[in-house]
Amino acid sequence: MRSLLGLLLTIAFAVGFVERVVSAEPSDTAQITVPATNRPLSFNRDIRPILTDRCFACHGLDANTVEAGLRLDVREAALEGGAIVPGDAESSEIFLRITSDDDDLVMPPSELHKPLSDAEIDLVRRWIQEGAPYEPHWAYTPLPRNGVPSSVNTTWGENWIDQFVARRLQDASVTPSPQADPTTLIRRLSFDLTGLPPTPEEVEAFKQDNSNESYERLIDRLLSSSRFGERMAIYWLDLVRYADTVGYHGDQNVSHSPYRDYVIDAFNSNMPYDQFVREQLAGDLLPNPTIDQLVASGYNRLNQTTEEGGAQPKEYLSIYFADRVRNVSQVFMGATVGCAQCHDHKYDPYTAKDFYSLGAFFADIEERGKYSQRERPPQIPVPNEEQQAQLDALRLKVAEAEANLESITQKQLAFLPEWEAQAIESINQSKFRTEEHTWVDDQLAAGGSKSGEWNHVTADQHPVHSGETSRRQTGKGVVQHLFTNAKEPIEVKAGTELFAWVYLDPQSPPKTIMLQWHGGPDNSSGWDHRAFWGDDKVGFGAKPQSWHGHKRMGDLPETGKWIRLSVAADDVGFAPGKTVHGMAFTQFDGIVHWDQAGWNETDGFPSEIRAALLADVKARTKNQIKQLRDYFVEHEPLITQQAKELKRARTQVSEFENSIPTMVISRAVAPREIRILDRGNWMDESGEIVQPAIPEFLGTLQTSNRRATRLDLANWLCDSENVLTARTMVNRLWYLMFGRGICSSVDDLGGQGTFPSHPELLDHLAVEFIESGWDIQHLLKQIAMSATYRQASNGSPELNALDPFNELFARQGRFRVSAEMVRDTALMISGLLVEEIGGPSVKPYQPEGYYSQLNFPRRNYVPDQGDNQYRRGVYTHWQRTFLHPMLKAFDAPSREECTAIRARSNTPLQALTLLNDPTFIEAATMFASRIMREGGTTVDERIEWAYRTAVSRPIDAVVAEELRTIQTEHLRHYAQEPDLAKALVSVGEQSSTTALDPAEWAAWTSVARVILNLHETINRY
């Protein structure tokens, strides 16, 4: 049998896989490739990139590191020292240095290995000869409201975008490429706007009517599809570094999926971009914020966090601070303010003060430097519509049970006097007398193992209840002393009561006191026998409802006097026959004296209830009256039965709420102090204290002397006069539609970025974006309707040589689609794709043992079953440190930092993934089953159908012949090896649902695997 790899290579050559692919992305040094010797010089376009790359590191904006006192970023400073003599290059020191042959004089220094090219030297010479004019950096200039240039090509163009492109093409003497054929256009639009290929039926319909009106209807249909939001979310989640795990140390799971769903819904509803920005930066600060707005505010909490035991909280708060500044500036401003963390920015006017002032906007966010296990408060539950309906129904049952309990309680309370009389008679007739047993007093009578500080104090200076000493306990937070392994454990009987005497210091009372008992080494409940008084500050055993492991007993006892705390053993989980082996005396804050503790056997009534019953009715205190009522309510059969019904209803609500995804959100608290950290050192507290402020060179916020908030920052970003926000976003939208931005450095519009190929077009798009009401779909439609977008992507050899990076946009881009889209395409072609919006992240097949090095805790990856296995890639569980191998192979980022441009590699690993990943094998087997059932009766019919289904066009004869050969040879092979055939078609969950001849099915699976591996299947042209 011919090797599958050999056949793949044959097919690859046949369909043009091994072709000279022109990358859509520029290299780091690429700027303008079209000859411009006769074009007037532009400082921003021609000179600034040279100075930024070769000079500004030593002679630029960071005044603290300027060499020889020379700054070249400021014209006056450059002229003052004679570095530049306008009109006379030969007298200008800068020109003499860049042309010097002396290693001691040449600039940049020879050890940097960055000499200027002859073309660059000529540009510098021409610039100086022309007077060495400077220009403000293009991205920091006001957005002009200029008109559209007059048409220079009356035979080409569909809208105003084309007039800007045509003017540039005319300057370069370049002709635009012809319009792409209808099949290419609909595939391009489908990938760009939905992330999925079109169906054969959609392609055929568009081929029958590809008029301008039909094309516009196609754009509208794709923009209104729910798939649009999923496609756009893939890119946005890269920007904001969304993931399902915390990143640092053990990279544990954290619930962020409601934020992802918010982003999808925002794009699908065409939420105005300014509202989108406000809700993410300051959703919690809006008036009466909705759940969606609170979820949106979770953007501020998407940074990596840690729960490592040895982490320094203050250090990590500074790490989170810097992360947030980097991300906010890159996402919304296209700026690298993060470079000013340790010193002033070397290439842009951002100072270290700007860095810390920008971060100070977020100093009000409630967060911790180190979190406890799997907790990232504040968090809120975020139910979907179906879950909300179920929750409402369960809460209605709780309300009904509460009403029933209240009704029954009021009815039964009429029998309280009768019960009291019967109880008093029972006590009087009882021959049983309470006998008190001491476990702890001046000595530990029970024996056992002590822990904590047992600080015995005497009556001469401290309160003492029994014996000669009490135990004084003080501290901040939770403090306790305890003992275990009692030599004489308590044997619990029906009337056992546990007690301890306590004295709360009136000057420094605790917030909480708690008694805990231990069930012994043979009791799995351990310390889960607790009673507490006061605030719920001691978290041991805490649950939403009171239970025997965290039993609420009421308010703190009265201070300044000895109080006997008593608890029925049964109330803290000790049934008759159980034994008690230890006791703990616990408090939160304050000063407490503890004394005699032990147990007594009673006639069934707790001591305080017995005392209240035996007291004269008229002499009972208000507290005793309340105690009798509460005791009656807790033990009356009809009431307790209804109380159990209420408990069950509440438990159902609690369990259901626990199944609802939660989302970390922003919550404003008192802002913490922010200082400029010298060289970014988090331990240095000597720096200047700063207040929230925008970068100084971009202006100031008018807040009437109040502290500026995150909402003020968001409003500034979305102001129509802001020079960065609109430029940044429209450049990225253009990137999504062409594979490169008008400014190719999509992640950086600053000094280290590239000059826009069409600056006037970029500015006009930004103005259009703002004046449209920040309408993303409107702008995308404008781009898609243009003749520029509709061009073919296969440029002529001459055009490819002249403009290899497609800077002129004289053709469309061609590139592999994102990792998620590669997977989605295979699932869609196979018929496996399950389209369902939102919900928790899902786990597709993954190599066994891939998480073996993932610790704290160790994890066993369990792939999802059923529909979740076939959801779109945007819903895939995103493990930052162990990204799903398929996503990693196709260049998806880990999302530890903002990613505005994904790398696009072309590696053998990708082909191996498409051939061997269980998802793609299963997709191939199910595609094969479709081929056999839907593709016709003959081999040729099936091959034609399969190819058209995958790549939307008829098959070439040479490709058809190769696929026919694969089918024939593999059918012969699998007929002789039936076990191999069964093994191949048994991969995945869906194989068992299809009854086909294994050998034939395996042969067609081989054909399907080749087709799913084709360059044309996973690329957008």
Side-chain angles (χ1 to χ4, degrees):
M1 182 181 73
R2 296 172 62 183
S3 73
L4 183 59
L5 179 59
L7 289 169
L8 274 171
L9 289 173
T10 304
I11 296 295
F13 276 100
V15 298
F17 182 82
V18 185
E19 61 177 328
R20 182 179 180 274
V21 180
V22 178
S23 170
E25 298 178 11
S27 67
D28 292 339
T29 58
Q31 181 62 33
I32 177 67
T33 58
V34 180
T37 53
N38 298 320
R39 185 169 58 186
L41 284 178
S42 161
F43 176 80
N44 276 330
R45 183 189 64 227
D46 302 313
I47 305 302
R48 185 184 293 276
I50 298 173
L51 297 180
T52 296
D53 189 45
R54 304 320 210 293
C55 308
F56 282 174
C58 299
H59 304 288
L61 288 82
D62 184 359
N64 295 320
T65 59
V66 168
E67 297 285 346
L70 173 63
R71 290 186 62 173
L72 295 178
D73 61 304
V74 179
R75 187 175 191 270
E76 292 72 17
L79 268 57
E80 183 179 346
I84 297 175
V85 180
D88 188 354
E90 299 298 332
S91 298
S92 299
E93 187 67 21
I94 183 174
F95 185 76
L96 297 176
R97 289 299 189 99
I98 64 176
T99 56
S100 174
D101 293 329
D102 189 333
D103 285 346
D104 293 331
L105 297 177
V106 68
M107 288 289 166
S110 55
E111 60 267 21
L112 297 182
H113 305 289
K114 297 183 72 172
L116 275 67
S117 67
D118 290 343
E120 290 170 327
I121 290 174
D122 185 59
L123 284 173
V124 174
R125 181 191 59 76
R126 286 178 54 198
W127 171 61
I128 295 174
Q129 291 300 121
E130 292 178 10
Y134 276 64
E135 296 172 343
H137 184 73
W138 64 271
Y140 307 136
T141 58
L143 284 169
R145 265 64 176 176
N146 297 334
V148 177
S150 57
S151 178
V152 296
N153 186 343
T154 57
T155 64
W156 183 78
E158 294 289 345
N159 63 17
W160 56 269
I161 291 173
D162 302 320
Q163 293 173 238
F164 285 99
V165 175
R167 174 61 60 88
R168 180 73 196 280
L169 293 176
Q170 183 188 50
D171 291 345
S173 300
V174 172
T175 302
S177 296
Q179 181 168 304
D181 63 85
T183 297
T184 299
L185 270 182
I186 188 172
R187 280 183 68 86
R188 178 189 299 167
L189 264 177
S190 295
F191 275 125
D192 286 351
L193 298 183
T194 72
L196 288 167
T199 65
E201 294 74 22
E202 290 169 339
V203 174
E204 192 60 34
F206 186 64
K207 286 171 64 178
Q208 294 301 317
D209 179 9
N210 55 63
S211 63
N212 213 45
E213 294 76 15
S214 177
Y215 180 71
E216 184 173 6
R217 288 195 299 272
L218 172 62
I219 295 171
D220 290 339
R221 175 173 65 81
L222 296 174
L223 287 173
S224 63
S225 166
S226 60
R227 296 170 175 176
F228 170 73
E230 294 172 316
R231 184 270 176 276
M232 295 297 292
I234 292 173
Y235 184 67
W236 187 261
L237 298 181
D238 278 359
L239 292 173
V240 299
R241 38 65 168 131
Y242 167 92
D244 295 297
T245 60
V246 304
Y248 292 130
H249 194 237
D251 198 22
Q252 299 85 1
N253 289 356
V254 63
S255 179
H256 286 157
S257 61
Y259 172 83
R260 178 243 294 140
D261 297 345
Y262 162 83
V263 170
I264 293 171
D265 291 342
F267 281 116
N268 277 336
S269 64
N270 199 26
M271 180 185 289
Y273 184 67
D274 60 337
Q275 179 184 344
F276 189 53
V277 172
R278 284 189 185 92
E279 290 187 354
Q280 292 182 79
L281 289 174
D284 59 309
L285 301 182
L286 295 173
N288 302 313
T290 64
I291 287 182
D292 283 347
Q293 289 169 335
L294 290 175
V295 167
S297 76
Y299 158 74
N300 297 313
R301 307 281 310 285
L302 294 178
N303 56 288
Q304 297 184 87
T305 55
T306 189
E307 53 191 59
E308 180 186 358
Q312 295 289 327
K314 186 177 178 182
E315 177 185 16
Y316 273 87
L317 282 175
S318 73
I319 291 172
Y320 304 161
F321 178 97
D323 181 306
R324 205 166 276 131
V325 173
R326 291 195 302 273
N327 195 260
V328 167
S329 64
Q330 279 197 284
V331 171
F332 302 109
M333 300 165 60
T336 55
V337 181
C339 294
Q341 179 179 357
C342 301
H343 50 72
D344 291 349
H345 203 298
K346 291 185 177 294
Y347 306 102
D348 287 303
Y350 301 110
T351 64
K353 184 176 181 179
D354 290 335
F355 175 91
Y356 291 97
S357 298
L358 183 59
F361 280 105
F362 303 91
D364 70 330
I365 291 175
E366 181 181 340
E367 64 180 339
R368 305 173 189 170
K370 180 173 76 72
Y371 290 90
S372 57
Q373 292 185 3
R374 265 52 91 216
E375 291 289 331
R376 293 296 184 277
Q379 294 173 270
I380 59 170
V382 187
N384 58 31
E385 289 185 10
E386 181 182 349
Q387 290 170 328
Q388 187 63 57
Q390 291 177 265
L391 189 57
D392 290 343
L394 291 172
R395 285 173 174 167
L396 181 59
K397 289 183 179 180
V398 170
E400 292 172 349
E402 287 174 337
N404 290 338
L405 178 60
E406 178 63 22
S407 175
I408 292 172
T409 299
Q410 292 305 318
K411 181 178 178 181
Q412 295 305 111
L413 279 172
F415 299 100
L416 177 58
E418 181 181 336
W419 172 82
E420 289 181 4
Q422 293 173 349
I424 292 170
E425 183 179 355
S426 174
I427 292 173
N428 290 334
Q429 291 179 355
S430 175
K431 296 179 181 180
F432 185 87
R433 291 291 179 265
T434 299
E435 182 180 356
E436 198 168 77
H437 304 272
T438 299
W439 233 16
V440 183
D441 201 347
D442 293 346
Q443 301 295 326
L444 181 56
S449 305
K450 291 182 179 180
S451 181
E453 186 175 351
W454 289 63
N455 181 27
H456 287 271
V457 295
T458 56
D460 54 344
Q461 292 184 351
H462 299 275
V464 173
H465 167 71
S466 173
E468 297 181 357
T469 66
S470 65
R471 302 181 306 283
R472 185 178 188 271
Q473 183 165 261
T474 182
K476 287 289 290 181
V478 177
V479 291
Q480 61 184 1
H481 62 285
L482 57 92
F483 69 93
T484 56
N485 303 317
K487 293 180 180 178
E488 298 180 9
I490 302 170
E491 295 183 6
V492 176
K493 298 181 176 62
T496 299
E497 179 183 76
L498 307 168
F499 74 88
W501 286 87
V502 67
Y503 179 99
L504 308 187
D505 188 281
Q507 302 303 316
S508 182
K511 293 183 173 64
T512 310
I513 57 173
M514 175 181 281
L515 292 174
Q516 304 180 70
W517 294 271
H518 196 277
D522 299 326
N523 189 329
S524 60
S525 61
W527 283 107
D528 277 343
H529 309 274
R530 304 180 183 90
F532 74 93
W533 293 258
D535 296 340
D536 193 356
K537 290 289 188 180
V538 180
F540 302 146
K543 291 184 178 181
Q545 285 84 37
S546 179
W547 69 297
H548 68 72
H550 195 79
K551 181 77 172 177
R552 172 176 287 280
M553 301 301 292
D555 297 335
L556 281 173
E558 185 179 350
T559 64
K561 61 187 299 186
W562 282 101
I563 302 294
R564 186 180 192 272
L565 305 176
S566 59
V567 182
D570 185 59
D571 286 347
V572 286
F574 288 114
K578 297 293 184 180
T579 52
V580 185
H581 293 255
M583 190 172 184
F585 307 87
T586 309
Q587 69 200 59
F588 190 98
D589 288 353
I591 300 173
V592 178
H593 287 80
W594 298 90
D595 208 325
Q596 181 190 17
W599 81 99
N600 53 275
E601 308 299 346
T602 73
D603 47 18
F605 293 109
S607 57
E608 66 271 19
I609 298 300
R610 186 184 310 104
L613 285 167
L614 296 177
D616 185 86
V617 173
K618 294 181 179 180
R620 287 175 184 167
T621 66
K622 289 182 179 180
N623 188 50
Q624 285 178 323
I625 294 171
K626 181 179 182 299
Q627 286 177 333
L628 289 175
R629 182 190 183 281
D630 291 347
Y631 187 85
F632 173 79
V633 167
E634 288 179 8
H635 293 82
E636 203 286 326
L638 291 178
I639 298 176
T640 55
Q641 178 60 36
Q642 184 57 37
K644 289 179 181 177
E645 293 295 326
L646 175 58
K647 183 178 180 181
R648 274 193 291 269
R650 285 174 171 165
T651 299
Q652 288 180 323
V653 170
S654 177
E655 290 176 349
F656 188 76
E657 285 178 335
N658 290 337
S659 72
I660 294 173
T662 60
M663 177 64 204
V664 295
I665 62 168
S666 296
R667 181 183 295 155
V669 295
R672 66 181 192 273
E673 182 181 85
I674 300 299
R675 293 178 178 270
I676 297 175
L677 301 181
D678 184 40
R679 301 187 64 80
N681 181 2
W682 63 274
M683 293 187 289
D684 189 334
E685 297 184 351
S686 63
E688 175 189 352
I689 297 174
V690 296
Q691 299 300 316
I694 60 175
E696 190 172 348
F697 79 96
L698 292 174
T700 57
L701 295 179
Q702 302 303 316
T703 59
S704 302
N705 295 323
R706 65 168 173 80
R707 180 186 174 94
T709 68
R710 286 178 280 120
L711 186 56
D712 293 315
L713 172 63
N715 288 334
W716 171 73
L717 285 169
C718 299
D719 190 283
S720 61
E721 300 302 318
N722 189 293
V723 298
L724 291 172
T725 308
R727 277 185 175 124
T728 297
M729 190 58 182
V730 300
N731 191 51
R732 287 171 178 167
L733 294 175
W734 187 276
Y735 160 75
L736 293 178
M737 301 292 276
F738 284 89
R740 64 155 288 152
I742 296 173
C743 171
S744 60
S745 55
V746 175
D747 56 344
D748 183 6
L749 302 190
Q752 284 287 81
T754 56
F755 186 73
S757 59
H758 300 70
E760 296 85 4
L761 172 58
L762 180 61
D763 287 348
H764 202 88
L765 285 166
V767 172
E768 176 78 12
F769 188 37
I770 295 170
E771 294 182 348
S772 72
W774 301 86
D775 190 326
I776 290 174
Q777 292 190 11
H778 167 78
L779 199 72
L780 288 173
K781 182 175 179 179
Q782 292 285 302
I783 295 171
M785 286 296 295
S786 70
T788 306
Y789 177 83
R790 300 189 215 185
Q791 294 176 101
S793 61
N794 51 340
S796 66
E798 295 77 17
L799 179 59
N800 292 341
L802 177 69
D803 185 19
F805 302 113
N806 197 24
E807 194 169 328
L808 295 174
F809 296 111
R811 63 178 183 277
Q812 248 292 357
R814 50 171 55 197
F815 44 85
R816 177 181 48 72
V817 296
S818 327
E820 296 93 329
M821 297 183 198
V822 172
R823 182 177 183 274
D824 295 348
T825 297
L827 292 177
M828 183 176 180
I829 292 170
S830 70
L832 287 173
L833 184 65
V834 173
E835 298 197 68
E836 178 183 331
I837 302 293
S841 296
V842 299
K843 295 183 176 181
Y845 308 122
Q846 177 172 288
E848 188 174 350
Y850 183 61
Y851 280 1
S852 61
Q853 301 304 312
L854 195 56
N855 295 306
F856 309 108
R858 296 184 67 84
R859 270 148 280 183
N860 180 31
Y861 184 90
V862 179
D864 281 334
Q865 295 182 334
D867 287 352
N868 280 347
Q869 184 60 232
Y870 311 107
R871 299 280 303 283
R872 290 196 66 173
V874 70
Y875 301 109
T876 297
H877 175 78
W878 213 274
Q879 187 84 37
R880 277 175 163 137
T881 55
F882 283 83
L883 186 61
H884 190 283
M886 180 269 151
L887 296 175
K888 194 173 184 68
F890 283 90
D891 305 312
S894 65
R895 292 182 177 159
E896 296 169 82
E897 291 283 349
C898 172
T899 302
I901 306 177
R902 286 192 186 184
R904 289 197 185 104
S905 63
N906 186 354
T907 68
L909 183 60
Q910 293 167 357
L912 292 171
T913 299
L914 293 176
L915 284 171
N916 297 298
D917 185 306
T919 291
F920 291 95
I921 295 177
E922 184 177 22
T925 60
M926 298 315 294
F927 185 28
S929 72
R930 288 192 67 199
I931 294 170
M932 295 171 70
R933 289 188 165 127
E934 304 173 40
T937 56
T938 69
V939 170
D940 288 343
E941 287 174 344
R942 290 176 173 180
I943 288 175
E944 170 66 31
W945 182 91
Y947 198 81
R948 188 185 295 272
T949 298
V951 302
S952 307
R953 68 175 179 84
I955 193 169
D956 298 327
V958 63
V959 179
E961 178 59 32
E962 287 294 342
L963 292 177
R964 191 180 304 111
T965 301
I966 290 176
Q967 197 277 336
T968 300
E969 294 192 1
H970 282 233
L971 178 60
R972 183 184 309 118
H973 169 72
Y974 285 121
Q976 296 171 356
E977 300 285 351
D979 290 342
L980 293 180
K982 291 178 181 177
L984 176 61
V985 300
S986 296
V987 174
E989 292 185 18
Q990 297 299 316
S991 59
S992 61
T993 66
T994 305
L996 296 170
D997 173 65
E1000 186 179 8
W1001 190 9
W1004 282 110
T1005 296
S1006 296
V1007 173
R1009 292 171 80 185
V1010 171
I1011 292 175
L1012 293 180
N1013 226 306
L1014 294 178
H1015 191 65
E1016 196 167 353
T1017 304
I1018 62 173
N1019 276 254
R1020 167 267 198 221
Y1021 292 93

